[in-house]
Amino acid sequence: MILQPILEWIPIWYDVKLLTVAWLVLPQFAGAAYLYERFVKEHIRKYITERQHLYGNHQQQSTKSPNNSGKAKKFFEFVTPKKEAY
């Protein structure tokens, strides 16, 4: 990385990295959920709907086999976070 020698001289750099990781990981801040909702979710939805549109007829025929029963739907349900009522 070109900027690495410069960033090592900034005394607050390690603190910024620590706070960023804490923001991503800790459930109180929900940073990873924010990034997922804001940037990733629409791309996954777009990919799955395009795939179902392109291969819809083929997948309908292949869902009769026990090995490929609704894998795309299961994957989408797995990556979509559920809203919990508190």
Side-chain angles (χ1 to χ4, degrees):
M1 185 164 112
I2 297 171
L3 297 175
Q4 185 173 359
I6 297 169
L7 292 175
E8 288 176 355
W9 282 99
I10 300 173
I12 198 169
W13 174 245
Y14 294 105
D15 296 331
V16 170
K17 288 191 331 186
L18 177 67
L19 290 175
T20 303
V21 170
W23 179 74
L24 286 170
V25 174
L26 293 175
Q28 294 91 343
F29 301 114
Y34 171 77
L35 291 177
Y36 174 79
E37 291 287 330
R38 178 86 183 201
F39 301 107
V40 177
K41 187 176 182 178
E42 289 302 319
H43 293 289
I44 290 176
R45 259 194 198 153
K46 181 179 170 184
Y47 172 74
I48 288 177
T49 55
E50 285 178 2
R51 187 172 178 208
Q52 287 176 348
H53 177 67
L54 291 174
Y55 303 110
N57 294 336
H58 177 67
Q59 284 183 351
Q60 287 175 355
Q61 293 172 355
S62 64
T63 55
K64 294 177 183 175
S65 71
N67 295 336
N68 192 17
S69 58
K71 285 186 180 180
K73 184 177 180 183
K74 288 180 184 178
F75 173 75
F76 186 71
E77 290 173 357
F78 175 73
V79 298
T80 305
K82 309 285 187 285
K83 300 211 178 204
E84 297 180 19
Y86 289 102

